[in-house]
Amino acid sequence: MAGILAWFWNERFWLPHNVTWADLKNTEEATFPQAEDLYLAFPLAFCIFMVRLIFERFIAKPCAIALNIQANGPQTAQPNAILEKVFTAITKHPDEKRLEGLSKQLDWDVRSIQRWFRQRRNQEKPSTLTRFCESMWRFSFYLYVFSYGVRFLKQTPWLWNTRHCWYNYPYQPLTADLHYYYILELSFYWSLMVSQFTDIKRKAAKMANYAKFQKMCDLLFVMFAVVFITTRLGIFPLWVLNTTLFESWEIVGPYPSWWVFNLMLLLLQGMNCFWSYLIIKIACKTVSKGKVSKDDRSDIESSSEDEDSEPPGKKPHSSTTTNGTSGTNGYLLTGPCSLDD
């Protein structure tokens, strides 16, 4: 294990030439970042995850209920063993040929089978209450971190004079505020590594949408779009990338980890451009429809009200009923399913 750690923390990869880890040991006069500090993020990530569970249950949920957001999920598909087997074992999106085969087997019309699959897919999607609670948690955390960052970072001299930062690199002392800020952010994103498999991808403005506050939703979306595009396409490349790519090259010079970190920043900028394109696309739809419509970034995969644009199917087959059962399957007592979408 010691050999692996020594290989991972190789000085010639992480640090500029003629700098060693020994040069960055803490002294009575100054405190420097230590590799061991990163290990603090793991237990703190678990703590943040537990705080999130408490927050969503005892703070976000009462707020949602106060806004009349219900926990009711989408309409439940009526039980049918044959369709359930196809859904779980074969496909959740049957093609036209399979729909025709199921129609003949169950003596249902194609449209009813399409509706059953749509309802069954929606059953697996979270309720509006669940989505609101998650959005409120992320909104609250991001608001706190953003407010703390603005209050702290505006006091740091190297924020306004980035060249000064590189002249002293890597010998900048680590303040308690900066240490707390970075460890908190790192712990939060480690906690998302656990919850990402169940999380619904949502923005904070979605809370207004779930609460049916359409005007507020529109206003928050406009604010989000302006801030996102300004910071990601303006400040980030002109300020951050400029100093990490050009000023650092001129003053410090490149070294192995310099290439890795700057490549990651460039990839991030590429994603910023793509996300900005999606935001502009949604904004254009908003202008044309007069309100924020379905969000291409998130609603398509999670909204319980999507998939209404399925093809109407072919001409319905006739359905026969005997003693309250439909056709030959015998699983439904009141017909295949409701005809109301």
Side-chain angles (χ1 to χ4, degrees):
M1 188 65 179
I4 296 176
L5 291 176
W7 169 82
F8 182 80
W9 293 112
N10 187 292
E11 296 170 342
R12 297 285 56 84
F13 176 81
W14 294 103
L15 300 175
H17 305 295
N18 302 322
V19 178
T20 66
W21 293 119
D23 298 330
L24 299 176
K25 291 294 184 181
N26 294 331
T27 65
E28 294 182 358
E29 294 79 18
T31 301
F32 297 101
Q34 302 297 310
E36 295 78 12
D37 295 341
L38 298 176
Y39 301 142
L40 294 173
F42 295 105
L44 288 176
F46 175 77
C47 294
I48 289 177
F49 183 74
M50 298 306 297
V51 169
R52 169 188 175 168
L53 296 180
I54 296 172
F55 178 91
E56 290 185 356
R57 181 169 183 178
F58 296 104
I59 298 179
K61 187 175 181 180
C63 292
I65 294 175
L67 293 171
N68 295 320
I69 298 176
Q70 303 299 321
N72 298 333
Q75 183 178 356
T76 303
Q78 296 191 28
N80 185 287
I82 296 177
L83 296 181
E84 184 68 24
K85 183 176 180 180
V86 173
F87 182 86
T88 56
I90 302 177
T91 178
K92 297 181 180 181
H93 299 270
D95 55 22
E96 195 73 22
K97 183 178 180 180
R98 191 176 299 277
L99 287 172
E100 289 289 347
L102 291 171
S103 175
K104 294 177 182 178
Q105 182 179 1
L106 297 176
D107 202 17
W108 289 12
D109 61 84
V110 171
R111 181 59 179 167
S112 295
I113 297 175
Q114 289 177 321
R115 187 178 301 113
W116 188 95
F117 274 92
R118 180 173 67 250
Q119 293 173 350
R120 182 63 181 83
R121 288 192 295 268
N122 288 338
Q123 277 181 229
E124 300 185 341
K125 297 172 183 176
S127 66
T128 303
L129 178 63
T130 301
R131 289 178 277 169
F132 178 91
C133 291
E134 182 185 320
S135 294
M136 187 171 180
W137 159 250
R138 295 208 182 193
F139 169 77
S140 301
F141 179 84
Y142 290 142
L143 180 63
Y144 167 73
V145 170
F146 173 78
S147 303
Y148 181 88
V150 169
R151 182 181 68 85
F152 162 69
L153 291 176
K154 70 179 182 180
Q155 302 173 4
T156 56
W158 47 262
L159 179 65
W160 312 109
N161 186 0
T162 54
R163 294 184 66 87
H164 176 74
C165 169
W166 296 112
Y167 283 121
N168 295 328
Y169 183 82
Y171 301 106
Q172 296 98 340
L174 178 66
T175 64
D177 286 336
L178 187 60
H179 182 268
Y180 169 78
Y181 184 76
Y182 273 102
I183 293 298
L184 181 64
E185 284 273 28
L186 182 61
S187 303
F188 175 74
Y189 285 105
W190 270 117
S191 73
L192 293 184
M193 292 293 290
V194 178
S195 62
Q196 65 171 325
F197 302 103
T198 57
D199 283 351
I200 311 103
K201 278 59 180 179
R202 285 291 179 271
K203 299 299 179 185
K206 287 292 182 181
M207 293 188 297
N209 191 25
Y210 299 147
K212 307 301 182 184
F213 298 157
Q214 187 60 51
K215 291 184 178 180
M216 182 181 294
C217 178
D218 295 343
L219 176 61
L220 289 174
F221 175 76
V222 171
M223 293 173 58
F224 162 74
V226 171
V227 171
F228 186 94
I229 294 175
T230 301
T231 55
R232 307 301 176 89
L233 299 187
I235 296 177
F236 183 76
L238 298 179
W239 196 344
V240 177
L241 288 182
N242 176 64
T243 188
T244 60
L245 282 172
F246 303 110
E247 292 180 352
S248 67
W249 178 288
E250 175 186 347
I251 299 171
V252 178
Y255 47 97
S257 64
W258 182 96
W259 294 99
V260 174
F261 290 134
N262 278 289
L263 176 61
M264 294 172 68
L265 290 174
L266 290 173
L267 291 175
L268 178 60
Q269 181 58 25
M271 290 189 290
N272 287 337
C273 294
F274 175 71
W275 292 328
S276 298
Y277 160 75
L278 294 181
I279 293 172
I280 294 172
K281 182 179 178 182
I282 296 169
C284 292
K285 290 183 180 179
T286 301
V287 172
S288 62
K289 294 184 178 180
K291 65 177 182 179
V292 176
S293 57
K294 290 198 174 186
D295 189 336
D296 290 338
R297 298 163 298 152
S298 54
D299 272 356
I300 290 178
E301 82 280 0
S302 296
S303 174
S304 61
E305 299 173 354
D306 63 356
E307 300 179 274
D308 288 330
S309 59
E310 295 190 55
K314 295 189 177 181
K315 182 178 180 181
H317 294 277
S318 60
S319 177
T320 59
T321 0
T322 307
N323 296 329
T325 61
S326 174
T328 58
N329 65 321
Y331 290 101
L332 299 180
L333 300 178
T334 57
C337 56
S338 171
L339 295 179
D340 297 329
D341 284 332

